[in-house]
Amino acid sequence: MMPEHDVDSDQAFAERVAAHLRRPVPLSDRVEREVMARIRSEGLNGGTAVNLGRWRGLRSAIALALAAGMVVVFGLGVLVGRHSSTPAIAGDGKRSVEFVLRTSASSVAVVGDFNNWDPDATPLRPSSDSLWSVVVPLRPGRYHYTFVVDGTRWRRDPGAPRALEDDFGTPTSVITVAQR
């Protein structure tokens, strides 16, 4: 199951990454020693401050160029991921969310906020290789859920974040369905 992306949290995350990438990049002592030795060996006749200033400016420009490149690559990755995993939207504003669990069992159901924790409401269908799945239309929002395996064992989704607070004393997962 692919959790939905919240545009605001994606933007905040991208800004935190960009701020981190804008920090100056420290160079190793070896690089600084080699540069300083070269400056001294060329006998800069009073132009040391100007050339050293150029070096610092060049170093900052390289660091900024690398940071900007990483931000662009990260941004493209986010955009490509959004477009390739966007679920269908129904006419009533609901989004199709697929719940998937790999387990060897005779029955699997998903229970959660969206079906009043009813084990009979949303059974998963088996496919090959012990893979069980179901598509559930959900309105935008945050939902807690878990799987019920063989009618008795409650099992959280190993492919989704764990909810901080557990419902019914059982570990549950959380999914956020984004509004688009």
Side-chain angles (χ1 to χ4, degrees):
M1 178 189 61
M2 294 290 296
E4 291 294 319
H5 293 289
D6 180 10
V7 174
D8 292 333
S9 66
D10 283 350
Q11 192 169 15
F13 177 72
E15 298 214 11
R16 285 194 313 269
V17 169
H20 178 73
L21 293 174
R22 285 186 193 109
R23 290 187 204 151
V25 177
L27 297 175
S28 71
D29 292 327
R30 183 183 63 81
V31 171
E32 296 232 53
R33 278 193 310 272
E34 288 179 18
V35 169
M36 293 306 292
R38 186 166 180 186
I39 289 171
R40 285 187 205 103
S41 71
E42 291 180 6
L44 296 175
N45 298 338
T48 303
V50 172
N51 287 334
L52 190 55
R54 283 185 187 163
W55 166 245
R56 287 187 180 135
L58 179 62
R59 185 172 65 177
S60 295
I62 290 170
L64 283 174
L66 286 173
M70 291 174 74
V71 168
V72 167
V73 168
F74 173 77
L76 287 173
V78 169
L79 289 175
V80 168
R82 277 192 194 148
H83 292 296
S84 64
S85 64
T86 302
I89 301 174
D92 59 358
K94 291 183 179 179
R95 300 176 66 82
S96 296
V97 177
E98 183 176 28
F99 292 89
V100 178
L101 182 67
R102 183 178 301 277
T103 185
S104 55
S106 58
S107 69
V108 178
V110 62
V111 296
D113 298 308
F114 49 85
N115 67 3
N116 293 322
W117 300 91
D118 181 357
D120 297 322
T122 316
L124 280 71
R125 287 182 223 88
S127 61
S128 63
D129 297 331
S130 303
L131 195 66
W132 295 76
S133 68
V134 67
V135 175
V136 179
L138 295 176
R139 287 191 170 81
R142 183 172 187 257
Y143 300 94
H144 288 206
Y145 70 97
T146 194
F147 294 107
V148 179
V149 179
D150 291 331
T152 57
R153 291 181 292 146
W154 287 42
R155 180 174 165 197
R156 73 175 205 84
D157 187 344
R162 181 177 179 161
L164 294 178
E165 61 282 351
D166 293 329
D167 293 300
F168 305 106
T170 301
T172 57
S173 300
V174 65
I175 183 172
T176 302
V177 179
Q179 184 172 12
R180 291 217 179 179

mmCIF file of all heavy atoms in Angstrom, residues 56-98:
data_model
loop_
_atom_site.group_PDB
_atom_site.id
_atom_site.type_symbol
_atom_site.label_atom_id
_atom_site.label_comp_id
_atom_site.label_asym_id
_atom_site.label_seq_id
_atom_site.Cartn_x
_atom_site.Cartn_y
_atom_site.Cartn_z
ATOM 1 N N ARG A 56 37.657 31.307 -1.882
ATOM 2 C CA ARG A 56 36.500 31.132 -0.981
ATOM 3 C C ARG A 56 35.197 31.302 -1.745
ATOM 4 O O ARG A 56 34.248 30.565 -1.535
ATOM 5 C CB ARG A 56 36.588 32.119 0.176
ATOM 6 C CG ARG A 56 37.648 31.744 1.170
ATOM 7 C CD ARG A 56 37.611 32.628 2.394
ATOM 8 N NE ARG A 56 38.664 32.226 3.312
ATOM 9 C CZ ARG A 56 39.470 33.053 3.928
ATOM 10 N NH1 ARG A 56 39.348 34.355 3.724
ATOM 11 N NH2 ARG A 56 40.395 32.615 4.738
ATOM 12 N N GLY A 57 35.151 32.275 -2.629
ATOM 13 C CA GLY A 57 33.951 32.474 -3.445
ATOM 14 C C GLY A 57 33.687 31.291 -4.349
ATOM 15 O O GLY A 57 32.545 30.857 -4.512
ATOM 16 N N LEU A 58 34.730 30.739 -4.947
ATOM 17 C CA LEU A 58 34.588 29.569 -5.810
ATOM 18 C C LEU A 58 34.110 28.370 -5.015
ATOM 19 O O LEU A 58 33.227 27.634 -5.444
ATOM 20 C CB LEU A 58 35.927 29.256 -6.496
ATOM 21 C CG LEU A 58 35.937 28.049 -7.420
ATOM 22 C CD1 LEU A 58 34.961 28.271 -8.575
ATOM 23 C CD2 LEU A 58 37.335 27.801 -7.949
ATOM 24 N N ARG A 59 34.681 28.195 -3.815
ATOM 25 C CA ARG A 59 34.270 27.088 -2.957
ATOM 26 C C ARG A 59 32.796 27.212 -2.599
ATOM 27 O O ARG A 59 32.045 26.237 -2.669
ATOM 28 C CB ARG A 59 35.141 27.075 -1.697
ATOM 29 C CG ARG A 59 34.875 25.897 -0.811
ATOM 30 C CD ARG A 59 35.857 25.799 0.306
ATOM 31 N NE ARG A 59 35.723 26.938 1.214
ATOM 32 C CZ ARG A 59 36.415 27.081 2.318
ATOM 33 N NH1 ARG A 59 37.313 26.179 2.650
ATOM 34 N NH2 ARG A 59 36.234 28.125 3.095
ATOM 35 N N SER A 60 32.348 28.427 -2.277
ATOM 36 C CA SER A 60 30.929 28.643 -1.952
ATOM 37 C C SER A 60 30.055 28.402 -3.169
ATOM 38 O O SER A 60 28.981 27.815 -3.066
ATOM 39 C CB SER A 60 30.714 30.065 -1.437
ATOM 40 O OG SER A 60 31.395 30.250 -0.226
ATOM 41 N N ALA A 61 30.516 28.852 -4.330
ATOM 42 C CA ALA A 61 29.734 28.658 -5.558
ATOM 43 C C ALA A 61 29.588 27.175 -5.884
ATOM 44 O O ALA A 61 28.507 26.718 -6.274
ATOM 45 C CB ALA A 61 30.385 29.396 -6.720
ATOM 46 N N ILE A 62 30.667 26.422 -5.712
ATOM 47 C CA ILE A 62 30.602 24.976 -5.963
ATOM 48 C C ILE A 62 29.629 24.315 -4.993
ATOM 49 O O ILE A 62 28.794 23.494 -5.386
ATOM 50 C CB ILE A 62 32.005 24.352 -5.863
ATOM 51 C CG1 ILE A 62 32.866 24.813 -7.042
ATOM 52 C CG2 ILE A 62 31.923 22.826 -5.825
ATOM 53 C CD1 ILE A 62 34.331 24.443 -6.910
ATOM 54 N N ALA A 63 29.714 24.678 -3.716
ATOM 55 C CA ALA A 63 28.812 24.101 -2.713
ATOM 56 C C ALA A 63 27.361 24.442 -3.030
ATOM 57 O O ALA A 63 26.479 23.584 -2.964
ATOM 58 C CB ALA A 63 29.181 24.603 -1.316
ATOM 59 N N LEU A 64 27.099 25.691 -3.413
ATOM 60 C CA LEU A 64 25.726 26.079 -3.758
ATOM 61 C C LEU A 64 25.244 25.353 -5.000
ATOM 62 O O LEU A 64 24.083 24.933 -5.082
ATOM 63 C CB LEU A 64 25.639 27.591 -3.958
ATOM 64 C CG LEU A 64 25.624 28.416 -2.677
ATOM 65 C CD1 LEU A 64 25.688 29.905 -3.006
ATOM 66 C CD2 LEU A 64 24.387 28.110 -1.860
ATOM 67 N N ALA A 65 26.115 25.197 -6.005
ATOM 68 C CA ALA A 65 25.729 24.488 -7.223
ATOM 69 C C ALA A 65 25.395 23.028 -6.912
ATOM 70 O O ALA A 65 24.398 22.494 -7.413
ATOM 71 C CB ALA A 65 26.843 24.573 -8.262
ATOM 72 N N LEU A 66 26.206 22.385 -6.071
ATOM 73 C CA LEU A 66 25.909 21.006 -5.681
ATOM 74 C C LEU A 66 24.593 20.922 -4.913
ATOM 75 O O LEU A 66 23.775 20.032 -5.147
ATOM 76 C CB LEU A 66 27.049 20.449 -4.833
ATOM 77 C CG LEU A 66 28.330 20.101 -5.575
ATOM 78 C CD1 LEU A 66 29.430 19.734 -4.593
ATOM 79 C CD2 LEU A 66 28.101 18.973 -6.554
ATOM 80 N N ALA A 67 24.379 21.850 -3.994
ATOM 81 C CA ALA A 67 23.138 21.855 -3.216
ATOM 82 C C ALA A 67 21.934 22.072 -4.124
ATOM 83 O O ALA A 67 20.915 21.376 -4.005
ATOM 84 C CB ALA A 67 23.194 22.937 -2.140
ATOM 85 N N ALA A 68 22.048 23.027 -5.046
ATOM 86 C CA ALA A 68 20.930 23.289 -5.962
ATOM 87 C C ALA A 68 20.648 22.075 -6.827
ATOM 88 O O ALA A 68 19.483 21.715 -7.058
ATOM 89 C CB ALA A 68 21.251 24.505 -6.838
ATOM 90 N N GLY A 69 21.693 21.405 -7.288
ATOM 91 C CA GLY A 69 21.505 20.195 -8.093
ATOM 92 C C GLY A 69 20.798 19.102 -7.318
ATOM 93 O O GLY A 69 19.906 18.428 -7.842
ATOM 94 N N MET A 70 21.172 18.943 -6.044
ATOM 95 C CA MET A 70 20.524 17.920 -5.222
ATOM 96 C C MET A 70 19.057 18.261 -4.973
ATOM 97 O O MET A 70 18.201 17.375 -4.971
ATOM 98 C CB MET A 70 21.285 17.760 -3.913
ATOM 99 C CG MET A 70 22.663 17.141 -4.119
ATOM 100 S SD MET A 70 23.650 17.094 -2.636
ATOM 101 C CE MET A 70 22.869 15.772 -1.743
ATOM 102 N N VAL A 71 18.756 19.537 -4.774
ATOM 103 C CA VAL A 71 17.365 19.954 -4.569
ATOM 104 C C VAL A 71 16.548 19.676 -5.828
ATOM 105 O O VAL A 71 15.420 19.183 -5.762
ATOM 106 C CB VAL A 71 17.287 21.444 -4.161
ATOM 107 C CG1 VAL A 71 15.867 21.971 -4.232
ATOM 108 C CG2 VAL A 71 17.848 21.629 -2.765
ATOM 109 N N VAL A 72 17.119 19.969 -6.997
ATOM 110 C CA VAL A 72 16.412 19.715 -8.256
ATOM 111 C C VAL A 72 16.147 18.220 -8.416
ATOM 112 O O VAL A 72 15.037 17.810 -8.749
ATOM 113 C CB VAL A 72 17.212 20.266 -9.459
ATOM 114 C CG1 VAL A 72 16.665 19.752 -10.766
ATOM 115 C CG2 VAL A 72 17.197 21.787 -9.441
ATOM 116 N N VAL A 73 17.153 17.389 -8.166
ATOM 117 C CA VAL A 73 16.977 15.941 -8.289
ATOM 118 C C VAL A 73 15.919 15.450 -7.299
ATOM 119 O O VAL A 73 15.034 14.663 -7.647
ATOM 120 C CB VAL A 73 18.318 15.212 -8.068
ATOM 121 C CG1 VAL A 73 18.120 13.717 -7.907
ATOM 122 C CG2 VAL A 73 19.266 15.507 -9.228
ATOM 123 N N PHE A 74 15.973 15.946 -6.060
ATOM 124 C CA PHE A 74 14.986 15.553 -5.056
ATOM 125 C C PHE A 74 13.581 15.980 -5.482
ATOM 126 O O PHE A 74 12.629 15.215 -5.417
ATOM 127 C CB PHE A 74 15.340 16.171 -3.699
ATOM 128 C CG PHE A 74 14.294 15.946 -2.645
ATOM 129 C CD1 PHE A 74 14.174 14.731 -2.021
ATOM 130 C CD2 PHE A 74 13.403 16.961 -2.302
ATOM 131 C CE1 PHE A 74 13.214 14.511 -1.077
ATOM 132 C CE2 PHE A 74 12.438 16.753 -1.345
ATOM 133 C CZ PHE A 74 12.338 15.523 -0.727
ATOM 134 N N GLY A 75 13.460 17.232 -5.958
ATOM 135 C CA GLY A 75 12.157 17.739 -6.393
ATOM 136 C C GLY A 75 11.592 16.937 -7.541
ATOM 137 O O GLY A 75 10.397 16.615 -7.569
ATOM 138 N N LEU A 76 12.423 16.585 -8.503
ATOM 139 C CA LEU A 76 11.956 15.764 -9.622
ATOM 140 C C LEU A 76 11.504 14.395 -9.139
ATOM 141 O O LEU A 76 10.507 13.858 -9.613
ATOM 142 C CB LEU A 76 13.052 15.619 -10.675
ATOM 143 C CG LEU A 76 13.338 16.855 -11.510
ATOM 144 C CD1 LEU A 76 14.554 16.633 -12.402
ATOM 145 C CD2 LEU A 76 12.133 17.241 -12.342
ATOM 146 N N GLY A 77 12.234 13.829 -8.180
ATOM 147 C CA GLY A 77 11.840 12.535 -7.628
ATOM 148 C C GLY A 77 10.475 12.595 -6.962
ATOM 149 O O GLY A 77 9.655 11.700 -7.129
ATOM 150 N N VAL A 78 10.224 13.665 -6.213
ATOM 151 C CA VAL A 78 8.919 13.829 -5.562
ATOM 152 C C VAL A 78 7.822 13.968 -6.612
ATOM 153 O O VAL A 78 6.771 13.334 -6.526
ATOM 154 C CB VAL A 78 8.924 15.048 -4.612
ATOM 155 C CG1 VAL A 78 7.526 15.389 -4.145
ATOM 156 C CG2 VAL A 78 9.819 14.771 -3.416
ATOM 157 N N LEU A 79 8.063 14.787 -7.634
ATOM 158 C CA LEU A 79 7.049 14.980 -8.669
ATOM 159 C C LEU A 79 6.776 13.704 -9.438
ATOM 160 O O LEU A 79 5.624 13.359 -9.696
ATOM 161 C CB LEU A 79 7.480 16.089 -9.633
ATOM 162 C CG LEU A 79 7.450 17.502 -9.058
ATOM 163 C CD1 LEU A 79 8.027 18.487 -10.072
ATOM 164 C CD2 LEU A 79 6.045 17.899 -8.669
ATOM 165 N N VAL A 80 7.810 12.968 -9.809
ATOM 166 C CA VAL A 80 7.624 11.719 -10.539
ATOM 167 C C VAL A 80 6.870 10.728 -9.672
ATOM 168 O O VAL A 80 5.953 10.051 -10.130
ATOM 169 C CB VAL A 80 8.982 11.147 -10.997
ATOM 170 C CG1 VAL A 80 8.836 9.719 -11.492
ATOM 171 C CG2 VAL A 80 9.578 12.017 -12.095
ATOM 172 N N GLY A 81 7.228 10.639 -8.397
ATOM 173 C CA GLY A 81 6.533 9.730 -7.486
ATOM 174 C C GLY A 81 5.067 10.071 -7.340
ATOM 175 O O GLY A 81 4.214 9.197 -7.308
ATOM 176 N N ARG A 82 4.750 11.362 -7.273
ATOM 177 C CA ARG A 82 3.350 11.768 -7.149
ATOM 178 C C ARG A 82 2.547 11.378 -8.380
ATOM 179 O O ARG A 82 1.436 10.913 -8.289
ATOM 180 C CB ARG A 82 3.259 13.279 -6.978
ATOM 181 C CG ARG A 82 3.467 13.718 -5.587
ATOM 182 C CD ARG A 82 3.067 15.151 -5.458
ATOM 183 N NE ARG A 82 3.566 15.651 -4.209
ATOM 184 C CZ ARG A 82 3.944 16.879 -4.013
ATOM 185 N NH1 ARG A 82 3.882 17.746 -4.991
ATOM 186 N NH2 ARG A 82 4.378 17.260 -2.844
ATOM 187 N N HIS A 83 3.112 11.608 -9.555
ATOM 188 C CA HIS A 83 2.364 11.329 -10.777
ATOM 189 C C HIS A 83 2.253 9.845 -11.054
ATOM 190 O O HIS A 83 1.287 9.409 -11.661
ATOM 191 C CB HIS A 83 2.999 12.041 -11.973
ATOM 192 C CG HIS A 83 2.857 13.532 -11.888
ATOM 193 N ND1 HIS A 83 1.636 14.151 -11.929
ATOM 194 C CD2 HIS A 83 3.764 14.512 -11.716
ATOM 195 C CE1 HIS A 83 1.789 15.457 -11.807
ATOM 196 N NE2 HIS A 83 3.088 15.704 -11.670
ATOM 197 N N SER A 84 3.200 9.041 -10.603
ATOM 198 C CA SER A 84 3.153 7.619 -10.910
ATOM 199 C C SER A 84 2.313 6.834 -9.911
ATOM 200 O O SER A 84 1.900 5.733 -10.210
ATOM 201 C CB SER A 84 4.567 7.043 -10.955
ATOM 202 O OG SER A 84 5.173 7.131 -9.694
ATOM 203 N N SER A 85 2.043 7.388 -8.730
ATOM 204 C CA SER A 85 1.298 6.621 -7.739
ATOM 205 C C SER A 85 0.005 7.313 -7.313
ATOM 206 O O SER A 85 -0.499 7.048 -6.254
ATOM 207 C CB SER A 85 2.177 6.387 -6.511
ATOM 208 O OG SER A 85 2.485 7.624 -5.908
ATOM 209 N N THR A 86 -0.535 8.166 -8.134
ATOM 210 C CA THR A 86 -1.757 8.873 -7.783
ATOM 211 C C THR A 86 -2.955 7.947 -7.941
ATOM 212 O O THR A 86 -3.222 7.464 -9.028
ATOM 213 C CB THR A 86 -1.953 10.108 -8.682
ATOM 214 O OG1 THR A 86 -0.813 10.938 -8.538
ATOM 215 C CG2 THR A 86 -3.206 10.867 -8.294
ATOM 216 N N PRO A 87 -3.683 7.661 -6.865
ATOM 217 C CA PRO A 87 -4.843 6.800 -6.978
ATOM 218 C C PRO A 87 -6.008 7.519 -7.653
ATOM 219 O O PRO A 87 -6.052 8.743 -7.723
ATOM 220 C CB PRO A 87 -5.194 6.460 -5.530
ATOM 221 C CG PRO A 87 -4.382 7.330 -4.670
ATOM 222 C CD PRO A 87 -3.378 8.030 -5.508
ATOM 223 N N ALA A 88 -6.950 6.731 -8.116
ATOM 224 C CA ALA A 88 -8.127 7.287 -8.783
ATOM 225 C C ALA A 88 -8.994 8.035 -7.779
ATOM 226 O O ALA A 88 -9.045 7.700 -6.603
ATOM 227 C CB ALA A 88 -8.927 6.161 -9.425
ATOM 228 N N ILE A 89 -9.690 9.050 -8.262
ATOM 229 C CA ILE A 89 -10.590 9.821 -7.414
ATOM 230 C C ILE A 89 -12.005 9.590 -7.908
ATOM 231 O O ILE A 89 -12.304 9.790 -9.075
ATOM 232 C CB ILE A 89 -10.260 11.327 -7.461
ATOM 233 C CG1 ILE A 89 -8.823 11.558 -6.994
ATOM 234 C CG2 ILE A 89 -11.234 12.119 -6.609
ATOM 235 C CD1 ILE A 89 -8.364 12.983 -7.139
ATOM 236 N N ALA A 90 -12.870 9.172 -7.005
ATOM 237 C CA ALA A 90 -14.267 8.953 -7.365
ATOM 238 C C ALA A 90 -14.995 10.290 -7.427
ATOM 239 O O ALA A 90 -14.503 11.306 -6.946
ATOM 240 C CB ALA A 90 -14.915 8.038 -6.326
ATOM 241 N N GLY A 91 -16.187 10.294 -8.013
ATOM 242 C CA GLY A 91 -16.961 11.516 -8.168
ATOM 243 C C GLY A 91 -17.354 12.155 -6.851
ATOM 244 O O GLY A 91 -17.605 13.346 -6.782
ATOM 245 N N ASP A 92 -17.398 11.383 -5.770
ATOM 246 C CA ASP A 92 -17.797 11.932 -4.475
ATOM 247 C C ASP A 92 -16.596 12.390 -3.639
ATOM 248 O O ASP A 92 -16.718 12.629 -2.447
ATOM 249 C CB ASP A 92 -18.610 10.901 -3.691
ATOM 250 C CG ASP A 92 -17.847 9.617 -3.445
ATOM 251 O OD1 ASP A 92 -16.696 9.496 -3.898
ATOM 252 O OD2 ASP A 92 -18.410 8.715 -2.795
ATOM 253 N N GLY A 93 -15.434 12.542 -4.272
ATOM 254 C CA GLY A 93 -14.245 13.020 -3.577
ATOM 255 C C GLY A 93 -13.456 11.925 -2.892
ATOM 256 O O GLY A 93 -12.425 12.184 -2.290
ATOM 257 N N LYS A 94 -13.907 10.687 -2.973
ATOM 258 C CA LYS A 94 -13.171 9.584 -2.359
ATOM 259 C C LYS A 94 -12.032 9.153 -3.275
ATOM 260 O O LYS A 94 -12.104 9.306 -4.485
ATOM 261 C CB LYS A 94 -14.100 8.395 -2.103
ATOM 262 C CG LYS A 94 -15.130 8.659 -1.021
ATOM 263 C CD LYS A 94 -15.964 7.435 -0.755
ATOM 264 C CE LYS A 94 -16.975 7.691 0.344
ATOM 265 N NZ LYS A 94 -17.804 6.497 0.590
ATOM 266 N N ARG A 95 -10.991 8.632 -2.654
ATOM 267 C CA ARG A 95 -9.834 8.135 -3.402
ATOM 268 C C ARG A 95 -9.744 6.631 -3.195
ATOM 269 O O ARG A 95 -10.022 6.138 -2.105
ATOM 270 C CB ARG A 95 -8.571 8.818 -2.914
ATOM 271 C CG ARG A 95 -8.641 10.338 -3.099
ATOM 272 C CD ARG A 95 -7.450 11.036 -2.546
ATOM 273 N NE ARG A 95 -6.222 10.723 -3.245
ATOM 274 C CZ ARG A 95 -5.825 11.301 -4.386
ATOM 275 N NH1 ARG A 95 -6.581 12.219 -4.930
ATOM 276 N NH2 ARG A 95 -4.703 10.978 -4.955
ATOM 277 N N SER A 96 -9.346 5.929 -4.217
ATOM 278 C CA SER A 96 -9.187 4.478 -4.115
ATOM 279 C C SER A 96 -7.848 4.165 -3.465
ATOM 280 O O SER A 96 -6.800 4.564 -3.964
ATOM 281 C CB SER A 96 -9.243 3.845 -5.506
ATOM 282 O OG SER A 96 -10.505 4.053 -6.083
ATOM 283 N N VAL A 97 -7.901 3.460 -2.345
ATOM 284 C CA VAL A 97 -6.699 3.084 -1.608
ATOM 285 C C VAL A 97 -6.633 1.563 -1.562
ATOM 286 O O VAL A 97 -7.601 0.908 -1.180
ATOM 287 C CB VAL A 97 -6.719 3.652 -0.169
ATOM 288 C CG1 VAL A 97 -5.502 3.197 0.610
ATOM 289 C CG2 VAL A 97 -6.818 5.167 -0.207
ATOM 290 N N GLU A 98 -5.496 1.009 -1.971
ATOM 291 C CA GLU A 98 -5.340 -0.442 -1.969
ATOM 292 C C GLU A 98 -4.606 -0.875 -0.698
ATOM 293 O O GLU A 98 -3.528 -0.382 -0.388
ATOM 294 C CB GLU A 98 -4.567 -0.914 -3.194
ATOM 295 C CG GLU A 98 -4.465 -2.426 -3.257
ATOM 296 C CD GLU A 98 -3.785 -2.921 -4.523
ATOM 297 O OE1 GLU A 98 -2.954 -2.174 -5.083
ATOM 298 O OE2 GLU A 98 -4.089 -4.056 -4.937
#
